[in-house]
Amino acid sequence: MTHETRPADRTRGRRRSAVLGAALGGCALVAAGTAPAAAHPAGHGRDVAYVALGDSYTSGPGIPTQVDADCARSDHNYPSLVAARHRTTALTDVSCGGATTAEMWQAQGGNPPQLDALDRHTDLVTLQIGGNDVGFGTIIGTCARLAAQDPSGNPCERSYKASGYDQLALTVLRTAPKVDRVLRDIRARAPHARVVVVGYPDLLPDDGSGCFPQVPFARKDFPYLRDTEKRLNLMLRLVAGLNRAEYVDTYGPTVGHDMCKAPADRWIEPLQPASPAAPAHPNAQGEAAMAQAVLDRLDRGHGRR
């Protein structure tokens, strides 16, 4: 029997495609949609069931104490800090270093598919994903290698735009439907949960300045890479809104604490960390700052703003 697509389904599909396509426009687009579904209230005597999904920015590699060597997961990452603040929260943290959206459905070493941690009794979900889909690690390596060719110029930007279009912008665009699919599956598996998408913190100076050789990028590549991260966060915000999920901005609260700052002031470690953390990742203070941003969002209730 042939399935006929109804006009309403086609309209919703066109609207979803339009919002996803606008994710890289850099425009002041507000994703349309209804308010997020109310979280399923925990029953009397039952802890709030909180599931944390994500990559290494969630898991906290290198930060003491590491409780899962395979996934580089710390007991002082932001999900752990959020759960500690709300003592009636039962945390299931399946975040794993190196995770992409694919690992939401497939095992990663000994870590089962992350979405398998969800069920209809889940009350709260945080999701921080997309950085590895875009290729944070590869981008850092490429830009550091190219910097020697033109330390005062923008060799990395020129390389990524050599084909006549911005390859990183296209990669962010291609990641949008992947994150969209993750959020739709979260809704299917945990229909009563409050779903919160967590953005990425400020990695490089927000004013576009550089700090070679501490961070070995060419001087004019810093603003390009800053804008690429902002484009990723914009995409996450838009896709969250499309799926009636909430978005947590961790970029704004961490401005001024990027990897170019002095060790006492930075919350993101450079490629040679001075504090226990992975290169180009949040340290303990960075995880605490992201935890506070999530807590502030949770404390404000279910509004989208």
mmCIF file with all atom_site columns, all heavy atoms in Angstrom, residues 11 31 35 88 107 113 131 140 149 164 170 198 217 249 265 273 277:
data_model
loop_
_atom_site.group_PDB
_atom_site.id
_atom_site.type_symbol
_atom_site.label_atom_id
_atom_site.label_alt_id
_atom_site.label_comp_id
_atom_site.label_asym_id
_atom_site.label_entity_id
_atom_site.label_seq_id
_atom_site.pdbx_PDB_ins_code
_atom_site.Cartn_x
_atom_site.Cartn_y
_atom_site.Cartn_z
_atom_site.occupancy
_atom_site.B_iso_or_equiv
_atom_site.pdbx_formal_charge
_atom_site.auth_seq_id
_atom_site.auth_comp_id
_atom_site.auth_asym_id
_atom_site.auth_atom_id
_atom_site.pdbx_PDB_model_num
ATOM 1   N N   . THR A 1 11  ? 4.091  20.412 4.887  1.00 0.00 ? 11  THR A N   1
ATOM 2   C CA  . THR A 1 11  ? 4.316  21.756 5.424  1.00 0.00 ? 11  THR A CA  1
ATOM 3   C C   . THR A 1 11  ? 5.306  21.715 6.584  1.00 0.00 ? 11  THR A C   1
ATOM 4   O O   . THR A 1 11  ? 6.224  22.535 6.669  1.00 0.00 ? 11  THR A O   1
ATOM 5   C CB  . THR A 1 11  ? 2.984  22.375 5.900  1.00 0.00 ? 11  THR A CB  1
ATOM 6   O OG1 . THR A 1 11  ? 2.105  22.466 4.780  1.00 0.00 ? 11  THR A OG1 1
ATOM 7   C CG2 . THR A 1 11  ? 3.211  23.760 6.484  1.00 0.00 ? 11  THR A CG2 1
ATOM 8   N N   . ALA A 1 31  ? 13.841 30.656 16.114 1.00 0.00 ? 31  ALA A N   1
ATOM 9   C CA  . ALA A 1 31  ? 13.174 29.429 15.691 1.00 0.00 ? 31  ALA A CA  1
ATOM 10  C C   . ALA A 1 31  ? 11.756 29.409 16.219 1.00 0.00 ? 31  ALA A C   1
ATOM 11  O O   . ALA A 1 31  ? 11.509 29.665 17.387 1.00 0.00 ? 31  ALA A O   1
ATOM 12  C CB  . ALA A 1 31  ? 13.942 28.215 16.210 1.00 0.00 ? 31  ALA A CB  1
ATOM 13  N N   . ALA A 1 35  ? 6.019  26.216 23.229 1.00 0.00 ? 35  ALA A N   1
ATOM 14  C CA  . ALA A 1 35  ? 6.845  26.111 24.427 1.00 0.00 ? 35  ALA A CA  1
ATOM 15  C C   . ALA A 1 35  ? 7.194  24.660 24.682 1.00 0.00 ? 35  ALA A C   1
ATOM 16  O O   . ALA A 1 35  ? 6.471  23.751 24.288 1.00 0.00 ? 35  ALA A O   1
ATOM 17  C CB  . ALA A 1 35  ? 6.082  26.676 25.628 1.00 0.00 ? 35  ALA A CB  1
ATOM 18  N N   . THR A 1 88  ? 18.085 15.697 45.100 1.00 0.00 ? 88  THR A N   1
ATOM 19  C CA  . THR A 1 88  ? 17.074 14.692 44.781 1.00 0.00 ? 88  THR A CA  1
ATOM 20  C C   . THR A 1 88  ? 17.199 14.212 43.336 1.00 0.00 ? 88  THR A C   1
ATOM 21  O O   . THR A 1 88  ? 16.301 13.569 42.818 1.00 0.00 ? 88  THR A O   1
ATOM 22  C CB  . THR A 1 88  ? 15.658 15.259 45.003 1.00 0.00 ? 88  THR A CB  1
ATOM 23  O OG1 . THR A 1 88  ? 15.476 16.404 44.168 1.00 0.00 ? 88  THR A OG1 1
ATOM 24  C CG2 . THR A 1 88  ? 15.441 15.640 46.450 1.00 0.00 ? 88  THR A CG2 1
ATOM 25  N N   . ALA A 1 107 ? 27.556 1.902  19.978 1.00 0.00 ? 107 ALA A N   1
ATOM 26  C CA  . ALA A 1 107 ? 28.467 1.793  21.107 1.00 0.00 ? 107 ALA A CA  1
ATOM 27  C C   . ALA A 1 107 ? 29.784 2.501  20.807 1.00 0.00 ? 107 ALA A C   1
ATOM 28  O O   . ALA A 1 107 ? 30.222 2.602  19.654 1.00 0.00 ? 107 ALA A O   1
ATOM 29  C CB  . ALA A 1 107 ? 28.711 0.327  21.439 1.00 0.00 ? 107 ALA A CB  1
ATOM 30  N N   . PRO A 1 113 ? 25.339 2.667  23.329 1.00 0.00 ? 113 PRO A N   1
ATOM 31  C CA  . PRO A 1 113 ? 24.726 3.834  22.684 1.00 0.00 ? 113 PRO A CA  1
ATOM 32  C C   . PRO A 1 113 ? 24.115 4.753  23.739 1.00 0.00 ? 113 PRO A C   1
ATOM 33  O O   . PRO A 1 113 ? 23.387 4.306  24.621 1.00 0.00 ? 113 PRO A O   1
ATOM 34  C CB  . PRO A 1 113 ? 23.646 3.202  21.792 1.00 0.00 ? 113 PRO A CB  1
ATOM 35  C CG  . PRO A 1 113 ? 24.166 1.832  21.496 1.00 0.00 ? 113 PRO A CG  1
ATOM 36  C CD  . PRO A 1 113 ? 24.871 1.395  22.739 1.00 0.00 ? 113 PRO A CD  1
ATOM 37  N N   . GLY A 1 131 ? 30.416 19.176 18.339 1.00 0.00 ? 131 GLY A N   1
ATOM 38  C CA  . GLY A 1 131 ? 31.788 19.629 18.155 1.00 0.00 ? 131 GLY A CA  1
ATOM 39  C C   . GLY A 1 131 ? 32.642 18.642 17.381 1.00 0.00 ? 131 GLY A C   1
ATOM 40  O O   . GLY A 1 131 ? 33.436 19.024 16.507 1.00 0.00 ? 131 GLY A O   1
ATOM 41  N N   . ILE A 1 140 ? 41.753 22.251 14.774 1.00 0.00 ? 140 ILE A N   1
ATOM 42  C CA  . ILE A 1 140 ? 42.877 22.756 15.579 1.00 0.00 ? 140 ILE A CA  1
ATOM 43  C C   . ILE A 1 140 ? 44.201 22.315 14.967 1.00 0.00 ? 140 ILE A C   1
ATOM 44  O O   . ILE A 1 140 ? 45.135 23.112 14.807 1.00 0.00 ? 140 ILE A O   1
ATOM 45  C CB  . ILE A 1 140 ? 42.746 22.275 17.034 1.00 0.00 ? 140 ILE A CB  1
ATOM 46  C CG1 . ILE A 1 140 ? 41.591 23.002 17.725 1.00 0.00 ? 140 ILE A CG1 1
ATOM 47  C CG2 . ILE A 1 140 ? 44.050 22.503 17.803 1.00 0.00 ? 140 ILE A CG2 1
ATOM 48  C CD1 . ILE A 1 140 ? 41.260 22.461 19.104 1.00 0.00 ? 140 ILE A CD1 1
ATOM 49  N N   . GLN A 1 149 ? 53.013 29.067 7.859  1.00 0.00 ? 149 GLN A N   1
ATOM 50  C CA  . GLN A 1 149 ? 53.134 29.625 6.511  1.00 0.00 ? 149 GLN A CA  1
ATOM 51  C C   . GLN A 1 149 ? 52.934 31.139 6.495  1.00 0.00 ? 149 GLN A C   1
ATOM 52  O O   . GLN A 1 149 ? 53.510 31.827 5.651  1.00 0.00 ? 149 GLN A O   1
ATOM 53  C CB  . GLN A 1 149 ? 52.096 28.977 5.592  1.00 0.00 ? 149 GLN A CB  1
ATOM 54  C CG  . GLN A 1 149 ? 52.220 27.477 5.451  1.00 0.00 ? 149 GLN A CG  1
ATOM 55  C CD  . GLN A 1 149 ? 51.135 26.895 4.572  1.00 0.00 ? 149 GLN A CD  1
ATOM 56  O OE1 . GLN A 1 149 ? 50.321 27.624 3.989  1.00 0.00 ? 149 GLN A OE1 1
ATOM 57  N NE2 . GLN A 1 149 ? 51.108 25.574 4.460  1.00 0.00 ? 149 GLN A NE2 1
ATOM 58  N N   . GLY A 1 164 ? 35.990 28.111 -2.809 1.00 0.00 ? 164 GLY A N   1
ATOM 59  C CA  . GLY A 1 164 ? 34.997 29.114 -3.164 1.00 0.00 ? 164 GLY A CA  1
ATOM 60  C C   . GLY A 1 164 ? 33.857 29.213 -2.185 1.00 0.00 ? 164 GLY A C   1
ATOM 61  O O   . GLY A 1 164 ? 32.973 30.060 -2.336 1.00 0.00 ? 164 GLY A O   1
ATOM 62  N N   . LEU A 1 170 ? 29.798 24.940 5.913  1.00 0.00 ? 170 LEU A N   1
ATOM 63  C CA  . LEU A 1 170 ? 29.023 23.856 5.316  1.00 0.00 ? 170 LEU A CA  1
ATOM 64  C C   . LEU A 1 170 ? 28.954 22.660 6.263  1.00 0.00 ? 170 LEU A C   1
ATOM 65  O O   . LEU A 1 170 ? 27.911 22.009 6.396  1.00 0.00 ? 170 LEU A O   1
ATOM 66  C CB  . LEU A 1 170 ? 29.650 23.443 3.988  1.00 0.00 ? 170 LEU A CB  1
ATOM 67  C CG  . LEU A 1 170 ? 28.954 22.292 3.246  1.00 0.00 ? 170 LEU A CG  1
ATOM 68  C CD1 . LEU A 1 170 ? 27.512 22.658 2.917  1.00 0.00 ? 170 LEU A CD1 1
ATOM 69  C CD2 . LEU A 1 170 ? 29.728 21.931 1.981  1.00 0.00 ? 170 LEU A CD2 1
ATOM 70  N N   . VAL A 1 198 ? 23.004 22.087 25.502 1.00 0.00 ? 198 VAL A N   1
ATOM 71  C CA  . VAL A 1 198 ? 24.063 22.908 26.088 1.00 0.00 ? 198 VAL A CA  1
ATOM 72  C C   . VAL A 1 198 ? 25.048 23.311 24.999 1.00 0.00 ? 198 VAL A C   1
ATOM 73  O O   . VAL A 1 198 ? 25.610 22.459 24.308 1.00 0.00 ? 198 VAL A O   1
ATOM 74  C CB  . VAL A 1 198 ? 24.789 22.140 27.217 1.00 0.00 ? 198 VAL A CB  1
ATOM 75  C CG1 . VAL A 1 198 ? 25.876 23.004 27.841 1.00 0.00 ? 198 VAL A CG1 1
ATOM 76  C CG2 . VAL A 1 198 ? 23.788 21.679 28.279 1.00 0.00 ? 198 VAL A CG2 1
ATOM 77  N N   . PHE A 1 217 ? 47.891 29.592 16.404 1.00 0.00 ? 217 PHE A N   1
ATOM 78  C CA  . PHE A 1 217 ? 47.149 29.931 15.202 1.00 0.00 ? 217 PHE A CA  1
ATOM 79  C C   . PHE A 1 217 ? 47.657 31.257 14.661 1.00 0.00 ? 217 PHE A C   1
ATOM 80  O O   . PHE A 1 217 ? 48.120 32.121 15.420 1.00 0.00 ? 217 PHE A O   1
ATOM 81  C CB  . PHE A 1 217 ? 45.645 30.065 15.487 1.00 0.00 ? 217 PHE A CB  1
ATOM 82  C CG  . PHE A 1 217 ? 44.994 28.825 16.043 1.00 0.00 ? 217 PHE A CG  1
ATOM 83  C CD1 . PHE A 1 217 ? 43.898 28.927 16.879 1.00 0.00 ? 217 PHE A CD1 1
ATOM 84  C CD2 . PHE A 1 217 ? 45.474 27.562 15.727 1.00 0.00 ? 217 PHE A CD2 1
ATOM 85  C CE1 . PHE A 1 217 ? 43.286 27.801 17.397 1.00 0.00 ? 217 PHE A CE1 1
ATOM 86  C CE2 . PHE A 1 217 ? 44.871 26.419 16.237 1.00 0.00 ? 217 PHE A CE2 1
ATOM 87  C CZ  . PHE A 1 217 ? 43.777 26.539 17.076 1.00 0.00 ? 217 PHE A CZ  1
ATOM 88  N N   . ASP A 1 249 ? 23.232 28.845 26.963 1.00 0.00 ? 249 ASP A N   1
ATOM 89  C CA  . ASP A 1 249 ? 24.393 29.556 26.434 1.00 0.00 ? 249 ASP A CA  1
ATOM 90  C C   . ASP A 1 249 ? 25.526 29.432 27.441 1.00 0.00 ? 249 ASP A C   1
ATOM 91  O O   . ASP A 1 249 ? 25.441 29.974 28.549 1.00 0.00 ? 249 ASP A O   1
ATOM 92  C CB  . ASP A 1 249 ? 24.033 31.026 26.205 1.00 0.00 ? 249 ASP A CB  1
ATOM 93  C CG  . ASP A 1 249 ? 25.236 31.887 25.866 1.00 0.00 ? 249 ASP A CG  1
ATOM 94  O OD1 . ASP A 1 249 ? 26.236 31.335 25.340 1.00 0.00 ? 249 ASP A OD1 1
ATOM 95  O OD2 . ASP A 1 249 ? 25.189 33.101 26.136 1.00 0.00 ? 249 ASP A OD2 1
ATOM 96  N N   . ASP A 1 265 ? 43.262 32.793 35.217 1.00 0.00 ? 265 ASP A N   1
ATOM 97  C CA  . ASP A 1 265 ? 42.008 33.376 34.723 1.00 0.00 ? 265 ASP A CA  1
ATOM 98  C C   . ASP A 1 265 ? 41.291 32.507 33.694 1.00 0.00 ? 265 ASP A C   1
ATOM 99  O O   . ASP A 1 265 ? 40.118 32.753 33.410 1.00 0.00 ? 265 ASP A O   1
ATOM 100 C CB  . ASP A 1 265 ? 42.287 34.745 34.081 1.00 0.00 ? 265 ASP A CB  1
ATOM 101 C CG  . ASP A 1 265 ? 42.843 35.738 35.075 1.00 0.00 ? 265 ASP A CG  1
ATOM 102 O OD1 . ASP A 1 265 ? 42.421 35.703 36.244 1.00 0.00 ? 265 ASP A OD1 1
ATOM 103 O OD2 . ASP A 1 265 ? 43.713 36.537 34.685 1.00 0.00 ? 265 ASP A OD2 1
ATOM 104 N N   . PRO A 1 273 ? 48.196 22.202 28.428 1.00 0.00 ? 273 PRO A N   1
ATOM 105 C CA  . PRO A 1 273 ? 47.465 22.594 29.643 1.00 0.00 ? 273 PRO A CA  1
ATOM 106 C C   . PRO A 1 273 ? 48.391 22.813 30.838 1.00 0.00 ? 273 PRO A C   1
ATOM 107 O O   . PRO A 1 273 ? 49.392 22.112 31.008 1.00 0.00 ? 273 PRO A O   1
ATOM 108 C CB  . PRO A 1 273 ? 46.529 21.404 29.892 1.00 0.00 ? 273 PRO A CB  1
ATOM 109 C CG  . PRO A 1 273 ? 46.437 20.700 28.575 1.00 0.00 ? 273 PRO A CG  1
ATOM 110 C CD  . PRO A 1 273 ? 47.759 20.897 27.922 1.00 0.00 ? 273 PRO A CD  1
ATOM 111 N N   . ALA A 1 277 ? 43.388 18.929 32.681 1.00 0.00 ? 277 ALA A N   1
ATOM 112 C CA  . ALA A 1 277 ? 42.338 18.967 31.657 1.00 0.00 ? 277 ALA A CA  1
ATOM 113 C C   . ALA A 1 277 ? 42.961 18.547 30.345 1.00 0.00 ? 277 ALA A C   1
ATOM 114 O O   . ALA A 1 277 ? 44.194 18.554 30.196 1.00 0.00 ? 277 ALA A O   1
ATOM 115 C CB  . ALA A 1 277 ? 41.722 20.359 31.525 1.00 0.00 ? 277 ALA A CB  1
#
